Amino acid sequence: MNIENIPSPPKLISISGPSEGTTFVLTGYETPIGREPSNSICIADPLLSRRHCRLSKEGENFTLQDSGSANGTFVNGVPIKERVLIHRDLIKAGDSMLLFLCREEDEVPLSNNTVQLNDDPLITRATIILRQEEAVYLNSQKSLPMTERTTQNFQALLRIGIEINTIHDLQTLQQRLLELIFSVVPAEHGAILLTNSAEGEIRSSSGWSRSAQQQQKVVASRTIVQEVMRDGVGILRNDVAEDTTLQLSKSLIHSGVRSILAVPLSHLRNTFGVIYLDTTNPIDSFDEEHLQLVTAVANLAAVALENALHVEQLNNETRRLQAELNFDREMIGESPLMQEVHQFIAKVAPTNSTVLIRGESGTGKELIARAIHSNSPRANKPCIAINCAVLNETLLESELFGHEKGAFTGAIAQKKGKLELADGGTVFLDEVGEMSPALQAKLLRVLQEREFERVGGTRTIKLDIRLIAATNKDLEAAIKAGEFRADLYFRLKVFEVLSPPLRERRVDIPLLASYFATKFGIQCGRQIKGISASARTCLKHYDWPGNVRELENAIERAVVMSTTEFILPDDLPDEVIEAESSSSSHIPASPTDAGVQTLPVIIGSVMNYHEAMMEAKRQLILKSFDQTKGNHFEAAKLLGLHPNNLHRMIRNLNLKSQLKR
């Protein structure tokens, strides 16, 4: 049987939850998932909706769609409405975690398909089996006669041990280990097989031929490999061609193999591989001393091979994640406006052009900038962000351009600026509209000439950077007011994108909220399983003037305040609840009958606790304005509120028109 990629049907493997350990093979074009028995994948999980999500196959692609579930569907920790899956994506639905595999596992690729396992019968005659406790070079209790051969073996073990521990690449290590073994054992062919299990599922293999002095396909006995893996013993078999029990093993017979030696690769009692050797020479065959020596070599090499295997897996996983991460993980959103942003990023990222990002505070302008950088040819270089609004002109100039020693009081040493440190990468200037006119002129020169001088310096420094700027300011109005240079504006606006406010993409609010709930639940050590339907309604009806940043803070607060596994309306800030109540069944209030004494009547006339509380707040505010003859400051004082908070409550409770009467 050749070790090669054999096509297998895509599948979902449950790695946690009620169905842990179950493999679901994906054979149809539609695969609904939920707790209802009619689903193709039915999981008895109370946190799953009856029809939670579904997988759809189109050609070779599988698309996962959330079916309006109560607790959301996540892919790699990010809530989704619809997502095309790639190999090894992790799907979270309720308490279940499902691993999507669309091909055979390939974290560590096979080494040029150099090993072929042969299905021969079990070898039983004239076989030497060596158990680990009987290995003389590994047992300090056993005394060895120091013959010339023993001395040579010890010297070989020392040399091999020193050399293999300097190699960290898996394929290089396997190849060099075989070469070193061939220098002390009369093998003609050899192979190292690293396996997943005692059944011999190969994860990595490398074969070597003495005559060719290169990698070459090696025929190995599956029976011997499985026995070594299963029992953790070394096996030596001579006179293979004379053994009538091997007549079915045509490839072994035709190759003229006369002697086979195989030993386990084990670490901490876990056998994860085999060193396999054979020879066709009937005179110079293997003996028990060779078996003892190769067993000792395998013991020395096991840790180095296991470490190299883990490094290879991590490298492959890193490459997979880098290929998968087309956009920043926190750029969550599937609304049409966010799709436009994603498309914009995909188009401009490969270029070196300057980009201007417009948008309100808290909409994620820096995330867009970093997504552009991450998907650009400069991704392996620095991406340095500078907020132009938090530093005065002098400090910002030094921060951007650096300074020479003695340039000003306190400049006790030369300092490189952020522009210089970002050479080869990207500079993100946030709130660029707050930059002073003098610095605007210097920045314009950087964009035009790609050069600058440090503060107090005379040497011109060449730059290779990409500039991305962001602002929440009306730059056109600033140009008319003489606060911003028109020439700089047009230099910045090679490409322009708007980061949409959250109120214009409300469909993304539940996705973001679910993401933040999971994130802060982990940070706070809280078991948050979802957001209740009523709380989601509150979140969707609020306008979020602080945008994503305000939503993130609200969910963090809710996670801390929550007393259950689900976030409830009571866990949300007052202004969020007030906005939801004022947008639904509003009960009109009149200044003539307003007052705390009417609260029992109100509670008796409404069914919803929050609506009753909102109505009570309306009446209290109206009564306070009545008592203070419309004086806003005095009304706030009477209510024990800050005037700004009273303004916010009046707006959220829709009381402006009534207070103007």
Side-chain angles (χ1 to χ4, degrees):
M1 174 182 173
N2 289 329
I3 303 302
E4 55 188 345
N5 284 331
I6 301 174
S8 65
K11 54 196 171 188
L12 291 177
I13 299 176
S14 179
I15 59 176
S16 68
S19 61
E20 181 176 352
T22 306
T23 298
F24 304 100
V25 178
L26 306 174
T27 55
Y29 288 95
E30 289 282 338
T31 307
I33 302 170
R35 72 171 192 269
E36 197 173 73
S38 61
N39 290 289
S40 300
I41 297 178
C42 176
I43 302 175
D45 181 353
L47 293 179
L48 284 180
S49 298
R50 287 183 176 85
R51 285 188 170 267
H52 195 96
C53 58
R54 72 176 185 274
L55 273 168
S56 304
K57 183 181 180 183
E58 295 182 8
E60 297 300 319
N61 293 329
F62 280 83
T63 300
L64 179 68
Q65 295 173 306
D66 183 78
S67 302
S69 63
N71 298 316
T73 303
F74 296 73
V75 175
N76 301 321
V78 176
I80 60 100
K81 287 293 183 185
E82 183 174 325
R83 175 72 61 85
V84 175
L85 298 179
I86 65 173
H87 185 62
R88 290 188 60 79
D89 268 341
L90 278 176
I91 301 168
K92 183 179 184 298
D95 264 344
S96 299
M97 190 74 76
L98 304 167
L99 178 66
F100 173 72
L101 300 177
C102 60
R103 60 177 182 269
E104 288 298 326
E105 285 287 54
D106 58 354
E107 287 83 3
V108 181
L110 298 181
S111 175
N112 297 326
N113 195 23
T114 55
V115 178
Q116 176 181 328
L117 291 184
N118 200 66
D119 294 313
D120 56 58
L122 180 65
I123 299 174
T124 57
R125 191 165 65 84
T127 297
I128 298 175
I129 294 178
L130 178 65
R131 306 186 185 280
Q132 292 289 303
E133 59 270 20
E134 298 169 350
V136 294
Y137 293 102
L138 305 180
N139 195 332
S140 59
Q141 303 300 320
K142 293 182 179 292
S143 58
L144 288 172
M146 294 306 294
T147 64
E148 181 179 355
R149 187 171 179 183
T150 303
T151 302
Q152 291 175 349
N153 287 346
F154 273 119
Q155 291 174 345
L157 288 172
L158 178 62
R159 184 177 75 255
I160 293 171
I162 292 173
E163 184 163 350
I164 62 176
N165 282 296
T166 64
I167 304 172
H168 304 292
D169 176 72
L170 180 63
Q171 298 303 327
T172 304
L173 176 58
Q174 291 180 93
Q175 178 181 323
R176 184 57 184 153
L177 180 58
L178 287 171
E179 292 174 352
L180 290 168
I181 291 173
F182 278 32
S183 69
V184 292
V185 174
E188 291 186 326
H189 308 97
I192 295 175
L193 302 96
L194 304 182
T195 66
N196 276 326
S197 62
E199 284 71 37
E201 181 183 354
I202 307 300
R203 303 170 74 183
S204 175
S205 65
S206 182
W208 189 258
S209 168
R210 180 186 294 274
S211 59
Q213 287 294 301
Q214 64 181 11
Q215 286 192 347
Q216 194 174 72
K217 181 169 287 188
V218 174
V219 178
S221 164
R222 182 184 297 276
T223 303
I224 292 180
V225 169
Q226 289 181 344
E227 186 174 353
V228 171
M229 288 290 301
R230 183 183 64 246
D231 300 334
V233 298
I235 294 177
L236 169 61
R237 173 72 178 112
N238 282 318
D239 302 322
V240 171
E242 298 175 5
D243 196 328
T244 57
T245 65
L246 290 182
Q247 293 307 307
L248 294 178
S249 183
K250 296 179 180 179
S251 55
L252 285 176
I253 300 300
H254 290 168
S255 65
V257 171
R258 302 297 299 271
S259 188
I260 298 173
L261 187 156
V263 299
L265 288 162
S266 304
H267 182 226
L268 299 177
R269 298 186 177 181
N270 173 43
T271 300
F272 63 92
V274 174
I275 296 177
Y276 186 99
L277 307 171
D278 68 37
T279 181
T280 62
N281 191 332
I283 300 174
D284 200 6
S285 59
F286 305 141
D287 58 26
E288 188 172 356
E289 189 69 19
H290 291 133
L291 179 60
Q292 291 280 1
L293 177 59
V294 179
T295 298
V297 170
N299 186 266
L300 287 175
V303 175
L305 284 166
E306 191 170 49
N307 288 340
L309 183 63
H310 288 159
V311 169
E312 188 84 351
Q313 289 174 322
L314 289 173
N315 288 339
N316 284 334
E317 184 68 7
T318 299
R319 286 192 291 270
R320 186 189 75 84
L321 291 173
Q322 287 175 342
E324 176 195 345
L325 288 174
N326 294 322
F327 302 109
D328 193 287
R329 272 293 182 209
E330 291 191 25
M331 277 193 62
I332 296 167
E334 299 183 357
S335 62
L337 287 175
M338 285 305 294
Q339 291 299 324
E340 290 178 11
V341 173
H342 292 325
Q343 292 167 11
F344 174 86
I345 292 170
K347 288 179 181 178
V348 306
T351 73
N352 283 317
S353 301
T354 304
V355 178
L356 178 62
I357 306 171
R358 312 282 291 262
E360 297 175 9
S361 178
T363 55
K365 296 188 291 294
E366 184 170 350
L367 289 179
I368 295 175
R370 292 194 179 277
I372 292 172
H373 170 77
S374 298
N375 290 275
S376 75
R378 299 174 179 267
N380 294 326
K381 296 293 184 178
C383 179
I384 297 180
I386 307 165
N387 191 321
C388 302
V390 298
L391 300 173
N392 62 38
E393 180 179 349
T394 302
L395 289 176
L396 181 58
E397 182 179 20
S398 176
E399 194 73 8
L400 280 171
F401 303 104
H403 60 253
E404 299 290 351
K405 181 179 179 181
F408 50 82
T409 303
I412 59 175
Q414 183 194 79
K415 174 191 172 183
K416 290 185 177 181
K418 294 293 180 64
L419 294 176
E420 194 172 350
L421 293 173
D423 191 43
T426 303
V427 174
F428 172 59
L429 295 181
D430 199 6
E431 305 301 346
V432 71
E434 305 301 322
M435 189 176 283
S436 69
L439 286 183
Q440 290 177 35
K442 290 193 173 186
L443 179 60
L444 180 63
R445 183 194 171 197
V446 169
L447 289 173
Q448 290 176 332
E449 309 296 337
R450 301 291 168 172
E451 63 183 30
F452 71 100
E453 290 90 31
R454 297 192 190 103
V455 176
T458 57
R459 184 172 66 89
T460 299
I461 300 171
K462 293 290 185 180
L463 266 184
D464 173 24
I465 62 166
R466 179 182 195 167
L467 188 72
I468 301 175
T471 184
N472 60 8
K473 193 172 183 178
D474 186 344
L475 293 183
E476 291 82 357
I479 291 171
K480 291 179 181 178
E483 297 172 354
F484 201 82
R485 296 179 63 110
D487 47 2
L488 177 58
Y489 170 71
F490 291 113
R491 281 283 181 181
L492 294 174
K493 192 185 172 184
V494 177
F495 285 104
E496 184 178 38
V497 63
L498 175 67
S499 184
L502 201 51
R503 63 182 176 275
E504 294 180 6
R505 54 181 186 109
R506 295 182 188 272
V507 68
D508 293 331
I509 291 175
L511 297 177
L512 285 159
S514 296
Y515 172 76
F516 291 135
T518 302
K519 171 184 172 181
F520 291 118
I522 294 171
Q523 288 183 6
C524 301
R526 296 290 312 279
Q527 185 67 27
I528 299 296
K529 293 187 175 180
I531 301 172
S532 70
S534 54
R536 287 202 305 273
T537 301
C538 291
L539 295 172
K540 289 170 71 174
H541 282 136
Y542 184 55
D543 276 347
W544 301 105
N547 292 295
V548 179
R549 188 180 293 120
E550 183 184 6
L551 174 62
E552 182 176 12
N553 293 339
I555 298 300
E556 182 178 9
R557 174 190 184 277
V559 168
V560 174
M561 298 297 292
S562 176
T563 57
T564 69
E565 293 179 330
F566 292 87
I567 292 176
L568 304 174
D570 286 341
D571 303 321
L572 300 172
D574 287 344
E575 57 268 27
V576 177
I577 304 171
E578 291 164 7
E580 193 279 328
S581 295
S582 62
S583 67
S584 57
S585 53
H586 172 63
I587 301 174
S590 170
T592 58
D593 60 3
V596 180
Q597 68 274 14
T598 63
L599 185 56
V601 177
I602 296 165
I603 293 177
S605 65
V606 295
M607 299 301 293
N608 185 281
Y609 165 79
H610 294 292
E611 291 174 4
M613 292 305 298
M614 294 308 102
E615 186 58 30
K617 290 180 181 181
R618 291 186 189 98
Q619 294 184 11
L620 285 171
I621 292 172
L622 291 170
K623 184 67 174 177
S624 68
F625 270 82
D626 184 48
Q627 292 180 3
T628 59
K629 296 180 173 54
N631 187 307
H632 184 94
F633 181 80
E634 291 298 327
K637 185 176 180 181
L638 183 64
L639 293 169
L641 296 172
H642 189 281
N644 291 345
N645 289 342
L646 180 56
H647 269 302
R648 188 201 72 224
M649 291 182 68
I650 290 170
R651 181 180 68 252
N652 290 336
L653 293 170
N654 291 329
L655 291 176
K656 284 185 178 182
S657 59
Q658 296 183 49
L659 291 175
K660 288 179 181 178
R661 294 175 184 174

